[in-house]
PDB file of all heavy atoms in Angstrom:
ATOM      1  N   GLN M 431     177.059 233.889 132.376  1.00 49.00           N
ATOM      2  CA  GLN M 431     178.018 234.846 131.846  1.00 49.00           C
ATOM      3  C   GLN M 431     179.368 234.659 132.524  1.00 49.00           C
ATOM      4  O   GLN M 431     180.423 234.780 131.899  1.00 49.00           O
ATOM      5  CB  GLN M 431     177.516 236.263 132.060  1.00 49.00           C
ATOM      6  CG  GLN M 431     176.320 236.640 131.167  1.00 49.00           C
ATOM      7  CD  GLN M 431     175.820 238.040 131.459  1.00 49.00           C
ATOM      8  OE1 GLN M 431     176.294 238.693 132.387  1.00 49.00           O
ATOM      9  NE2 GLN M 431     174.896 238.492 130.631  1.00 49.00           N
ATOM     10  N   GLY M 476     186.138 239.009 142.185  1.00 51.00           N
ATOM     11  CA  GLY M 476     185.434 240.257 141.939  1.00 51.00           C
ATOM     12  C   GLY M 476     186.333 241.447 141.804  1.00 51.00           C
ATOM     13  O   GLY M 476     185.881 242.596 141.910  1.00 51.00           O
ATOM     14  N   PHE M 523     223.157 227.564  83.628  1.00 98.00           N
ATOM     15  CA  PHE M 523     224.563 227.674  84.014  1.00 98.00           C
ATOM     16  C   PHE M 523     224.709 228.385  85.357  1.00 98.00           C
ATOM     17  O   PHE M 523     225.466 227.928  86.243  1.00 98.00           O
ATOM     18  CB  PHE M 523     225.350 228.412  82.940  1.00 98.00           C
ATOM     19  CG  PHE M 523     226.760 228.686  83.313  1.00 98.00           C
ATOM     20  CD1 PHE M 523     227.735 227.681  83.216  1.00 98.00           C
ATOM     21  CD2 PHE M 523     227.151 229.932  83.781  1.00 98.00           C
ATOM     22  CE1 PHE M 523     229.050 227.932  83.587  1.00 98.00           C
ATOM     23  CE2 PHE M 523     228.464 230.188  84.153  1.00 98.00           C
ATOM     24  CZ  PHE M 523     229.432 229.196  84.059  1.00 98.00           C
ATOM     25  N   ALA M 583     241.843 244.923 105.410  1.00 96.00           N
ATOM     26  CA  ALA M 583     242.633 244.799 104.170  1.00 96.00           C
ATOM     27  C   ALA M 583     241.801 244.122 103.058  1.00 96.00           C
ATOM     28  O   ALA M 583     242.288 243.223 102.347  1.00 96.00           O
ATOM     29  CB  ALA M 583     243.937 244.035 104.408  1.00 96.00           C
ATOM     30  N   ARG M 608     214.104 233.497  86.765  1.00 96.00           N
ATOM     31  CA  ARG M 608     215.382 233.077  86.169  1.00 96.00           C
ATOM     32  C   ARG M 608     216.479 233.986  86.700  1.00 96.00           C
ATOM     33  O   ARG M 608     216.200 235.052  87.253  1.00 96.00           O
ATOM     34  CB  ARG M 608     215.338 233.145  84.633  1.00 96.00           C
ATOM     35  CG  ARG M 608     215.187 234.569  84.090  1.00 96.00           C
ATOM     36  CD  ARG M 608     215.024 234.569  82.578  1.00 96.00           C
ATOM     37  NE  ARG M 608     216.157 233.991  81.893  1.00 96.00           N
ATOM     38  CZ  ARG M 608     217.206 234.702  81.477  1.00 96.00           C
ATOM     39  NH1 ARG M 608     217.275 236.010  81.701  1.00 96.00           N
ATOM     40  NH2 ARG M 608     218.216 234.111  80.856  1.00 96.00           N
ATOM     41  N   GLY M 614     226.159 234.198  95.270  1.00 97.00           N
ATOM     42  CA  GLY M 614     227.305 234.351  96.128  1.00 97.00           C
ATOM     43  C   GLY M 614     228.308 233.222  96.033  1.00 97.00           C
ATOM     44  O   GLY M 614     229.507 233.417  95.872  1.00 97.00           O
ATOM     45  N   TYR M 615     227.804 231.990  96.083  1.00 98.00           N
ATOM     46  CA  TYR M 615     228.686 230.839  96.007  1.00 98.00           C
ATOM     47  C   TYR M 615     229.338 230.710  94.628  1.00 98.00           C
ATOM     48  O   TYR M 615     230.537 230.456  94.497  1.00 98.00           O
ATOM     49  CB  TYR M 615     227.910 229.541  96.339  1.00 98.00           C
ATOM     50  CG  TYR M 615     227.392 229.491  97.735  1.00 98.00           C
ATOM     51  CD1 TYR M 615     226.066 229.701  98.025  1.00 98.00           C
ATOM     52  CD2 TYR M 615     228.269 229.207  98.799  1.00 98.00           C
ATOM     53  CE1 TYR M 615     225.585 229.632  99.318  1.00 98.00           C
ATOM     54  CE2 TYR M 615     227.802 229.143 100.094  1.00 98.00           C
ATOM     55  CZ  TYR M 615     226.451 229.352 100.360  1.00 98.00           C
ATOM     56  OH  TYR M 615     225.972 229.305 101.647  1.00 98.00           O
ATOM     57  N   PHE M 623     238.847 229.332  95.129  1.00 97.00           N
ATOM     58  CA  PHE M 623     239.474 228.035  94.912  1.00 97.00           C
ATOM     59  C   PHE M 623     240.593 228.120  93.860  1.00 97.00           C
ATOM     60  O   PHE M 623     241.650 227.479  93.980  1.00 97.00           O
ATOM     61  CB  PHE M 623     238.427 227.022  94.476  1.00 97.00           C
ATOM     62  CG  PHE M 623     237.489 226.634  95.583  1.00 97.00           C
ATOM     63  CD1 PHE M 623     236.152 226.289  95.288  1.00 97.00           C
ATOM     64  CD2 PHE M 623     237.885 226.630  96.895  1.00 97.00           C
ATOM     65  CE1 PHE M 623     235.287 225.934  96.315  1.00 97.00           C
ATOM     66  CE2 PHE M 623     237.025 226.290  97.918  1.00 97.00           C
ATOM     67  CZ  PHE M 623     235.724 225.939  97.628  1.00 97.00           C
ATOM     68  N   VAL M 666     218.480 249.753  89.052  1.00 95.00           N
ATOM     69  CA  VAL M 666     218.384 251.187  89.347  1.00 95.00           C
ATOM     70  C   VAL M 666     217.414 251.864  88.402  1.00 95.00           C
ATOM     71  O   VAL M 666     216.679 252.800  88.807  1.00 95.00           O
ATOM     72  CB  VAL M 666     219.804 251.818  89.269  1.00 95.00           C
ATOM     73  CG1 VAL M 666     219.678 253.341  89.330  1.00 95.00           C
ATOM     74  CG2 VAL M 666     220.669 251.341  90.428  1.00 95.00           C
ATOM     75  N   GLU M 712     212.976 251.549 103.594  1.00 94.00           N
ATOM     76  CA  GLU M 712     213.706 252.184 104.692  1.00 94.00           C
ATOM     77  C   GLU M 712     214.109 253.603 104.299  1.00 94.00           C
ATOM     78  O   GLU M 712     214.389 253.871 103.113  1.00 94.00           O
ATOM     79  CB  GLU M 712     214.975 251.364 105.016  1.00 94.00           C
ATOM     80  CG  GLU M 712     214.699 249.961 105.514  1.00 94.00           C
ATOM     81  CD  GLU M 712     215.961 249.147 105.679  1.00 94.00           C
ATOM     82  OE1 GLU M 712     217.038 249.594 105.233  1.00 94.00           O
ATOM     83  OE2 GLU M 712     215.871 248.049 106.273  1.00 94.00           O
ATOM     84  N   ALA M 713     214.136 254.470 105.248  1.00 93.00           N
ATOM     85  CA  ALA M 713     214.581 255.841 104.991  1.00 93.00           C
ATOM     86  C   ALA M 713     216.082 255.844 104.650  1.00 93.00           C
ATOM     87  O   ALA M 713     216.874 255.211 105.353  1.00 93.00           O
ATOM     88  CB  ALA M 713     214.286 256.741 106.183  1.00 93.00           C
ATOM     89  N   LYS M 735     235.792 261.870  79.527  1.00 94.00           N
ATOM     90  CA  LYS M 735     236.157 263.265  79.215  1.00 94.00           C
ATOM     91  C   LYS M 735     235.541 264.237  80.212  1.00 94.00           C
ATOM     92  O   LYS M 735     236.180 265.182  80.662  1.00 94.00           O
ATOM     93  CB  LYS M 735     235.736 263.604  77.793  1.00 94.00           C
ATOM     94  CG  LYS M 735     236.530 262.920  76.699  1.00 94.00           C
ATOM     95  CD  LYS M 735     236.096 263.369  75.336  1.00 94.00           C
ATOM     96  CE  LYS M 735     236.939 262.761  74.212  1.00 94.00           C
ATOM     97  NZ  LYS M 735     236.555 263.227  72.871  1.00 94.00           N
ATOM     98  N   ARG M 739     237.579 266.892  82.712  1.00 95.00           N
ATOM     99  CA  ARG M 739     237.450 268.347  82.531  1.00 95.00           C
ATOM    100  C   ARG M 739     236.625 269.009  83.653  1.00 95.00           C
ATOM    101  O   ARG M 739     236.490 270.238  83.669  1.00 95.00           O
ATOM    102  CB  ARG M 739     236.829 268.670  81.194  1.00 95.00           C
ATOM    103  CG  ARG M 739     235.360 268.341  81.077  1.00 95.00           C
ATOM    104  CD  ARG M 739     234.736 268.913  79.811  1.00 95.00           C
ATOM    105  NE  ARG M 739     233.313 268.680  79.742  1.00 95.00           N
ATOM    106  CZ  ARG M 739     232.716 267.705  79.055  1.00 95.00           C
ATOM    107  NH1 ARG M 739     233.478 266.852  78.356  1.00 95.00           N
ATOM    108  NH2 ARG M 739     231.410 267.564  79.057  1.00 95.00           N
TER     109      ARG M 739
END
Side-chain angles (χ1 to χ4, degrees):
Q431 291 179 351
F523 174 79
R608 66 185 299 269
Y615 295 105
F623 290 148
V666 170
E712 297 174 350
K735 289 183 177 181
R739 72 169 184 261

